[in-house]
Amino acid sequence: MSTETGAIPLEGASPVAAGKRVLALPIEWWDGGVRMAAVAGQLALVTLAIQAWQIDNRAFRWNFLLVCVGFVVNHYLPARLRLPFFATLSVVALGSLLGLAHAAWLMSIGLALIVTAHLPIAFWARVALLGVFGVVLAVMRQAGTIPALGGLWPILGSMFMFRLIIYMYDMRTGNAPFGPWRALAYFFMIPNAFFPLYPIIDYKTFNRTYYNREAFGIYQKGIDWIVRGIIQLLLYRFIYQNLMIDPQAVSNLGELARFLVTNFLLYLRISGNFHLIVGILHLFGFNLSETHHKYLLSSSFTDFWRRINIYWKDFIQKIFFFPVYFRIKKRGELYGIAVATCLAFFATWVLHSYQWFWLRGRFLLTWQDVSFWAILALGVLVNVLYEAKTTRKRQALKVHRTWRGELSRALRTIAMFTFICLLWSLWNAASLEEWLTMLGMARYASAGDVAWIAGGLALLGVAAVLWGASTSERTDAPVKVNEAVARREFWLSALQSGGLALALVLADRNIMLLSPTPEVADVLTRLASNQLNEQDLARLERGYYESLLDEQRFNPELGELYTARPANWNQAALNQTRSDGRFPRSEYIPSQSIKLASGAIWTTNRYGMRDRHYDQAKPPGTYRIALVGDSNAAGLHVGDQELFEYLVEKRLNQDAAGADPPPWQILNFSCSSYGLYSRLKILPKVFEFSPDALLCVSVNDWHWVVRDVGRCVADRLEIPDPFVRDVVKRAGLEPGMSTRVCEHRLQPFRHELTQWCYRQMGEECRQRGVRPLAAFLPRLDDRNWEVEQLPALKRAAQDAGFTVLDLTAAYEKVEDRQELWAWRWDAHPNAAAHQLIGDLLYKKLQALNLRSTSEPAQGSP
Amino acid sequence: MAADESIAATVKKYVLDEFLPGENPDELTADTPLITTGILDSVGTLKLVAFLEERFNIGLAAHEADVEYLNTIGDIVKLVESKQKGR
């Protein structure tokens, strides 16, 4: 017998708790009311914690309030109205999140897919129709046919790309109930609107687990998992912000171990989100199983496969592994298992790429991906065949511990964890060469490194002994529940989760009772924000002219930002440069005029300067400054009249209003990606314009000088200077090595190169009677730079005879520097930032009194 | 009833021999969850299916290798009986 919602009645469960409207004894009402209050109280604390710690995206945080209200209403509704209410609430959430027009588009396409699945024609005809429908949608996604759907494809894809397959499978086998409300609830379920990367929830399980156990127990488990999800997300953030290092920065065994472990632990973000999603569904009665189960404690390949992303494993098993095995099992059990396993992993690889297409807009076809799945498949295959051939106790009825067994588990867990960390790093590697170079750093090992790695692995072994034996909790089968036991478990769990949620709220830095030290306060502040870490900021900087999507395919932080970018956001950097195969690698194409995504006009003059037209011959009485710099000085994302160079020149000339010709000219020779070495090498062209002063504008010299030389080697360009050739030799670089490896190996030489570039530029200026000026801009993405690097850079410039103009105070009145970013994903200065730089540079130049001083002066004005 | 017991006993013996060697037979009852507690994993499930098909001369479909049909010895008995009746 089943209830009207498909739920299975429980033995011993109270009618109230099971969600039935009955006349009950007052004590049962009292008990229900108290437990409901306990759940609602925890939910309130969880809501506060989510807001305080800025968990996930803004859409999620707002809609979580809707979830809370919906939870209370849902609970007090009659059982027959709950599923329709959940479906309606999900649609309302879609509307509130996307806006009515976008939600209508999404709903229309979704409903058309569902209706197609139920057309009164042959099953395979419906499948074929859905296939055609899918192809048409994929083409539309690529072509951008429906602009209104631009940002909705990931959500639409996430709702239907896998669930439709499961839905049709269950329809084919007649293995689950179907109906309009069930379909709406399944495809549009509420958390999906704000979590595009979503666990693959099985349709049959979705229905079978609906209120299949005592209601308050389900709600409480939901709270438990939401709290667990929040903690995992905070752990992820802590690791991301404080412990992650760039693979290029790995220089010894200790750093290698740190990178390998933290790189794998970034997966906490996915497991944390999945816990939130499934926890929310529990609040509406869907008693789904765990999505992950102690995957860090896996003791074999099959164990890992069964613990990490369990829903994916179940999906592959249901749709591919079992059907393939049943089709070929007559040819032998081992043969069937081997073939089914191989096909299951092949399907996993293809479907990951397919998922990537719907979420990110292109298929993921890389050697790293193929290698990862092939190696994992091989490991699982060997494991599975071994298990199939031997009689093995998977799980005992009672725990029997032996020293030998526990030691074996600990060692297997350590070995598996180490192997998975390595495999994970290969999956994320930019290139095989970089990966091998990084692993090669293991040869630089100190006793301290070995000690802490051994200690960490020993702790992992202990954890494996203590907690590794458990299996994932599955809830998709009816169990007899003793009501008294269930009640006790409810209260224990409520105390634990409520206590954790309360601790999270109290730990918020804004209401913390204790005064933390500045270091702790800084960690807490970063924990409560979604800002990028230093490595990703650096990648953003590199990403202006490189396709970083490949490199960052598993980086959710950057991935989300990149997905939001309009097509023409960076055309000034991408389309307006050319290269003649010599160094510097690129220059602006002369006489270009484009309209930026902001609407401003961006031009180059006939000499390829990012500037208005000037005659090559300097007018008499004019003081000419040649400006050399990188994309910041070239005003990558600002219009001609917003660029600080234009603003300063205009103000200087306004001071001498009426003079003809105007007494000041600033010629902007800057170009995207020009580091110090590039700037040095364009000086011959600069000097053709007879400048009186050279203004070298820098923002991150160490990074860019290394990049200049590294790319030179990587692109096999001729290096004309013996000094630089010597550095390249000492760094062990060979022509054609990857840029990242070259940059990595050049890091120890960055200051040496910087000093040499400044010296060379100073010398060139002195020979021509040009006054060298070095201006240092503030960075918008990293304030530490001003403390850690700026003093050394200023010294290098001063020692080479430059007059230093420190402009790092330009943004000091702006509290949140991100307001000055050109784009949310791009830390170049916007028009407001250029204005601030212009104001300060103008003052500094005025203070120098350049026109009246003929001799170069050293030091800062 | 006798047929029930025969099927249950046969399945129980198989599960004990194959997946729970050394365990106390009294601990394994008709209601003991096999899949949801991890006693049967995917490979174990396939081995059980192969055994049931051969021992009871029945054919199972892929979607029946599922917690709904194979989670307890009681479930397995029901499945085998329904297949035998359907022959």
Side-chain angles (χ1 to χ4, degrees):
Chain A
M1 188 182 84
S2 66
T3 68
E4 56 199 309
T5 56
I8 296 160
L10 304 174
E11 288 182 27
S14 78
V16 174
K20 294 179 180 176
R21 295 185 84 200
V22 293
L23 286 174
L25 294 172
I27 193 163
E28 287 178 320
W29 283 105
W30 167 249
D31 177 62
V34 170
R35 287 208 275 172
M36 184 61 187
V39 173
Q42 291 174 80
L43 202 51
L45 286 173
V46 164
T47 308
L48 287 174
I50 284 173
Q51 298 294 336
W53 293 98
Q54 302 278 297
I55 295 298
D56 221 86
N57 55 53
R58 189 176 296 175
F60 164 68
R61 294 196 292 274
W62 278 109
N63 276 280
F64 195 77
L65 300 174
L66 188 67
V67 165
C68 295
V69 175
F71 160 70
V72 176
V73 175
N74 178 75
H75 175 73
Y76 286 110
L77 280 175
R80 66 188 166 78
L81 294 181
R82 286 179 177 172
L83 197 64
F85 172 74
F86 174 75
T88 309
L89 187 72
S90 299
V91 173
V92 168
L94 265 183
S96 77
L97 180 70
L98 307 174
L100 282 181
H102 288 93
W105 267 109
L106 196 140
M107 288 291 300
S108 305
I109 295 175
L111 289 174
L113 285 165
I114 296 170
V115 168
T116 307
H118 287 279
L119 284 176
I121 54 177
F123 176 79
W124 290 110
R126 277 177 277 154
V127 170
L129 261 181
L130 285 170
V132 172
F133 206 153
V135 170
V136 169
L137 287 174
V139 170
M140 285 166 66
R141 192 206 194 305
Q142 271 313 81
T145 312
I146 306 175
L149 278 174
L152 303 185
W153 287 112
I155 299 174
L156 181 72
S158 155
M159 287 173 166
F160 287 90
M161 62 184 165
F162 295 127
R163 270 178 246 163
L164 204 51
I165 296 172
I166 298 172
Y167 192 74
M168 295 309 290
Y169 180 91
D170 283 338
M171 196 183 286
R172 173 72 175 165
T173 57
N175 219 10
F178 289 86
W181 291 117
R182 290 179 194 280
L184 284 175
Y186 179 63
F187 285 106
F188 298 107
M189 57 181 101
I190 188 166
N192 212 155
F194 29 88
F195 289 113
L197 188 59
Y198 207 80
I200 305 179
I201 293 174
D202 184 66
Y203 180 74
K204 183 178 166 186
T205 309
F206 185 73
N207 283 284
R208 274 175 63 80
T209 60
Y210 189 54
Y211 282 109
N212 71 343
R213 291 183 194 176
E214 188 255 342
F216 290 113
I218 298 175
Y219 300 155
Q220 184 55 47
K221 195 187 294 166
I223 299 280
D224 295 347
W225 287 2
I226 292 171
V227 171
R228 202 193 289 179
I230 293 173
I231 291 171
Q232 290 191 10
L233 289 174
L234 288 177
L235 263 176
Y236 157 80
R237 228 182 241 172
F238 179 78
I239 291 165
Y240 176 74
Q241 296 285 358
N242 300 285
L243 303 181
M244 269 301 288
I245 54 172
D246 195 284
Q248 286 188 66
V250 170
S251 61
N252 56 47
L253 179 65
E255 288 174 353
L256 176 64
R258 178 175 158 187
F259 171 78
L260 292 175
V261 173
T262 53
N263 179 55
F264 178 40
L265 290 182
L266 290 185
Y267 185 79
L268 280 169
R269 188 179 188 204
I270 292 176
S271 64
N273 274 344
F274 281 18
H275 275 87
L276 285 183
I277 292 165
V278 177
I280 289 171
L281 291 172
H282 273 78
L283 296 178
F284 294 91
F286 298 98
N287 188 26
L288 298 164
S289 300
E290 276 185 311
T291 61
H292 294 76
H293 183 74
K294 297 174 185 165
Y295 51 93
L296 302 181
L297 301 180
S298 307
S299 59
S300 68
F301 283 100
T302 44
D303 197 29
F304 178 72
W305 176 243
R306 287 169 189 147
R307 286 173 185 258
I308 193 164
N309 203 350
I310 295 166
Y311 288 19
W312 181 281
K313 183 267 294 176
D314 286 347
F315 165 71
I316 291 291
Q317 183 174 292
K318 174 173 176 167
I319 305 295
F320 296 97
F321 183 72
F322 281 165
V324 170
Y325 174 82
F326 273 77
R327 193 168 281 268
I328 60 173
K329 65 185 176 187
K330 284 182 184 161
R331 299 169 81 170
E333 184 187 336
L334 289 183
Y335 174 83
I337 288 175
V339 171
T341 303
C342 291
L343 279 174
F345 272 90
F346 179 73
T348 292
W349 168 58
V350 171
L351 290 174
H352 266 86
S353 186
Y354 161 82
Q355 174 175 251
W356 201 255
F357 170 78
W358 285 109
L359 297 186
R360 296 279 176 90
R362 67 185 187 88
F363 286 99
L364 181 64
L365 297 169
T366 64
W367 68 266
Q368 293 96 327
D369 218 33
V370 175
S371 307
F372 176 82
W373 291 116
I375 293 169
L376 193 59
L378 190 65
V380 172
L381 180 64
V382 171
N383 250 197
V384 160
L385 290 177
Y386 173 75
E387 286 175 8
K389 277 196 75 169
T390 54
T391 298
R392 187 183 67 90
K393 196 187 290 185
R394 270 79 170 166
Q395 191 69 27
L397 291 168
K398 280 190 173 172
V399 177
H400 309 286
R401 287 178 183 263
T402 62
W403 278 106
R404 196 175 161 189
E406 297 306 319
L407 183 64
S408 166
R409 180 193 303 284
L411 292 176
R412 280 183 285 124
T413 302
I414 290 169
M416 198 61 214
F417 180 79
T418 308
F419 188 87
I420 289 296
C421 284
L422 279 168
L423 190 58
W424 211 267
S425 69
L426 174 69
W427 198 16
N428 289 268
S431 70
L432 185 61
E433 189 185 12
E434 180 188 292
W435 188 67
L436 291 173
T437 302
M438 183 183 73
L439 294 189
M441 296 299 163
R443 64 183 182 274
Y444 303 112
S446 65
D449 288 344
V450 174
W452 81 256
I453 292 170
L457 290 176
L459 278 178
L460 181 72
V462 172
V465 170
L466 292 176
W467 302 297
S470 65
T471 55
S472 69
E473 185 186 354
R474 293 192 56 163
T475 54
D476 48 352
V479 286
K480 288 179 181 172
V481 179
N482 180 302
E483 200 177 348
V485 172
R487 193 172 286 117
R488 191 172 65 244
E489 284 178 354
F490 170 88
W491 283 112
L492 281 175
S493 180
L495 275 176
Q496 183 180 313
S497 290
L500 282 170
L502 181 63
L504 284 172
V505 173
L506 293 177
D508 174 24
R509 68 207 181 290
N510 295 318
I511 59 169
M512 216 177 179
L513 301 176
L514 301 171
S515 300
T517 62
E519 291 78 18
V520 173
D522 182 50
V523 169
L524 290 174
T525 303
R526 276 189 281 160
L527 261 185
S529 78
N530 286 307
Q531 68 188 45
L532 297 176
N533 68 12
E534 286 177 21
Q535 290 77 44
D536 282 347
L537 286 169
R539 286 181 184 126
L540 267 183
E541 192 168 275
R542 282 205 300 268
Y544 307 131
Y545 48 87
E546 290 178 358
S547 169
L548 270 180
L549 280 176
D550 274 348
E551 195 176 332
Q552 296 308 314
R553 61 197 180 284
F554 300 113
N555 184 325
E557 304 289 344
L558 290 184
E560 283 171 13
L561 285 179
Y562 288 157
T563 307
R565 301 183 303 194
N568 62 344
W569 76 278
N570 194 25
Q571 54 176 326
L574 290 178
N575 305 326
Q576 307 309 317
T577 55
R578 67 182 182 186
S579 175
D580 61 1
R582 288 180 299 175
F583 192 77
R585 292 177 66 258
S586 61
E587 61 180 8
Y588 283 135
I589 301 168
S591 305
Q592 295 295 301
S593 181
I594 57 169
K595 194 171 183 180
L596 297 175
S598 65
I601 301 299
W602 189 101
T603 58
T604 57
N605 67 19
R606 67 178 181 182
Y607 299 109
M609 292 178 219
R610 171 73 171 95
D611 216 326
R612 64 187 175 87
H613 173 69
Y614 296 96
D615 289 328
Q616 188 168 348
K618 182 171 62 177
T622 297
Y623 192 93
R624 184 174 266 185
I625 300 172
L627 191 156
V628 290
D630 59 13
S631 50
N632 292 279
L636 195 64
H637 299 298
V638 296
D640 296 343
Q641 299 186 0
E642 296 167 330
L643 184 51
F644 74 80
E645 172 267 329
Y646 168 86
L647 298 171
V648 173
E649 185 189 71
K650 186 178 166 190
R651 283 185 71 177
L652 287 169
N653 285 323
Q654 277 172 350
D655 293 342
D660 187 31
W664 293 93
Q665 286 185 347
I666 305 180
L667 279 58
N668 195 350
F669 292 88
S670 307
C671 183
S672 302
S673 80
Y674 272 16
L676 273 182
Y677 191 44
S678 295
R679 288 175 232 165
L680 171 67
K681 302 319 287 181
I682 63 161
L683 286 189
K685 176 181 172 184
V686 170
F687 291 140
E688 288 173 11
F689 289 79
S690 313
D692 298 290
L694 176 79
L695 176 59
C696 178
V697 178
S698 299
V699 70
N700 193 6
D701 283 336
W702 282 351
H703 170 76
W704 284 105
V705 78
V706 158
R707 195 154 180 77
D708 262 350
V709 178
R711 290 176 71 92
C712 215
V713 177
D715 292 352
R716 300 172 191 273
L717 300 182
E718 188 187 343
I719 299 173
D721 301 285
F723 174 84
V724 181
R725 282 204 300 271
D726 179 56
V727 168
V728 165
K729 190 177 170 189
R730 281 189 281 144
L733 304 188
E734 298 288 343
M737 277 181 165
S738 80
T739 311
R740 284 166 66 93
V741 172
C742 291
E743 287 177 25
H744 179 60
R745 294 191 180 183
L746 283 168
Q747 285 300 328
F749 304 92
R750 58 189 187 179
H751 193 53
E752 202 176 322
L753 281 167
T754 301
Q755 286 174 312
W756 180 81
C757 285
Y758 273 120
R759 276 201 307 273
Q760 293 299 112
M761 290 167 87
E763 186 56 34
E764 298 258 358
C765 286
R766 254 189 307 281
Q767 285 174 10
R768 291 166 179 78
V770 175
R771 179 166 183 178
L773 310 171
F776 292 94
L777 300 182
R779 281 183 67 172
L780 283 169
D781 53 1
D782 180 12
R783 293 184 188 210
N784 291 335
W785 173 81
E786 287 158 28
V787 178
E788 294 167 359
Q789 297 188 22
L790 188 59
L793 296 175
K794 283 162 74 173
R795 255 196 323 278
Q798 280 169 349
D799 291 348
F802 280 74
T803 301
V804 170
L805 308 176
D806 186 346
L807 305 180
T808 51
Y811 308 146
E812 67 183 3
K813 290 183 181 165
V814 181
E815 194 173 327
D816 180 6
R817 289 194 180 185
Q818 210 155 349
E819 289 171 10
L820 300 175
W821 287 31
W823 296 93
R824 195 160 56 86
W825 51 87
D826 185 330
H828 278 100
N830 62 16
H834 273 267
Q835 181 71 55
L836 294 171
I837 296 167
D839 289 346
L840 190 55
L841 178 59
Y842 166 75
K843 286 179 193 161
K844 297 270 183 184
L845 288 175
Q846 265 200 327
L848 276 181
N849 206 9
L850 286 171
R851 293 181 67 90
S852 61
T853 51
S854 54
E855 287 301 314
Q858 290 198 10
S860 302
Chain B
M1 192 68 177
D4 274 12
E5 283 175 4
S6 167
I7 296 170
T10 307
V11 172
K12 180 173 176 174
K13 183 174 184 316
Y14 175 76
V15 170
L16 282 168
D17 290 347
E18 192 67 27
F19 306 111
L20 295 166
E23 291 283 334
N24 178 0
D26 295 339
E27 299 282 345
L28 179 63
T29 69
D31 295 330
T32 305
L34 300 173
I35 294 178
T36 53
T37 51
I39 293 171
L40 283 184
D41 54 25
S42 53
V43 175
T45 304
L46 292 184
K47 290 177 93 165
L48 175 65
V49 166
F51 168 77
L52 295 175
E53 288 187 325
E54 188 185 332
R55 179 69 181 76
F56 299 107
N57 193 25
I58 55 174
L60 298 182
H63 72 269
E64 287 167 334
D66 181 83
V67 67
E68 183 181 354
Y69 300 99
L70 302 175
N71 196 40
T72 63
I73 290 177
D75 294 334
I76 297 168
V77 169
K78 278 187 212 159
L79 176 68
V80 171
E81 284 179 344
S82 71
K83 291 286 174 182
Q84 287 176 331
K85 280 178 193 160
R87 274 205 296 247

